Amino acid sequence: MAIINRKNITAFDRKNYIISVRKDRIYFSGVVCEKFRLIHGGHIMFNNDGDHWSFWATDDPDGFRLSSEGKNQIGLSVPNTALARLFHNSLQRKVPIPSLFYVQETNSEIDGFPVAEILTKKTVDEMGKE
């Protein structure tokens, strides 16, 4: 038996690790930005293998530039219609636009930045109906 409190919990808290894939951008919640070291004006890279997607922060200027969503938003986005379309088209099924997906930490790093996996098998809404 283990006592669990706010200081020692290590379970994956799905409710906050969310991205939104919209028609013209991919939005990262503030918690995702903090966890995976995404910063305003910074860059992000994606890896795509079929419907498996991952991302990481990068210092490489060839990455997608992260920008603020609005002055009251704590999250960041990649405003790129082609990227959002590629994401939706890579899924093996139709999902509504916009769609929310959970993000999970992997055990990998690239250039010192943690790699995150986008859980594309089910949207947040689909998981909530289980």
Side-chain angles (χ1 to χ4, degrees), residues 61-125:
D62 286 340
F64 293 95
R65 187 183 261 322
L66 291 156
S67 61
S68 296
E69 265 302 279
K71 69 180 188 178
N72 293 331
Q73 295 288 331
I74 59 171
L76 297 171
S77 70
V78 173
N80 190 295
T81 302
L83 177 64
R85 187 178 308 122
L86 177 64
F87 182 90
H88 279 288
N89 289 342
S90 74
L91 302 180
Q92 296 178 354
R93 68 202 192 300
K94 293 283 186 198
V95 295
I97 298 174
S99 293
L100 300 175
F101 294 91
Y102 289 117
V103 172
Q104 164 175 294
E105 187 173 12
T106 68
N107 293 328
S108 301
E109 285 188 353
I110 296 178
D111 295 331
F113 292 100
V115 176
E117 177 185 6
I118 302 170
L119 305 179
T120 61
K121 296 295 180 198
K122 294 185 179 180
T123 66
V124 169
D125 291 338

Side-chain angles (χ1 to χ4, degrees), residues 9 51-52 83:
I9 193 163
D51 64 349
H52 297 280
L83 177 64

Side-chain angles (χ1 to χ4, degrees), residues 3-19:
I3 296 175
I4 307 296
N5 62 35
R6 291 180 306 185
K7 292 182 181 178
N8 69 5
I9 193 163
T10 58
F12 174 65
D13 184 3
R14 289 186 169 187
K15 69 180 179 182
N16 294 320
Y17 290 93
I18 293 177
I19 67 164

Side-chain angles (χ1 to χ4, degrees), residues 39-58:
I39 59 171
H40 174 71
H43 295 88
I44 186 171
M45 293 278 200
F46 293 88
N47 185 42
N48 165 240
D49 181 14
D51 64 349
H52 297 280
W53 282 78
S54 58
F55 66 86
W56 61 95
T58 183

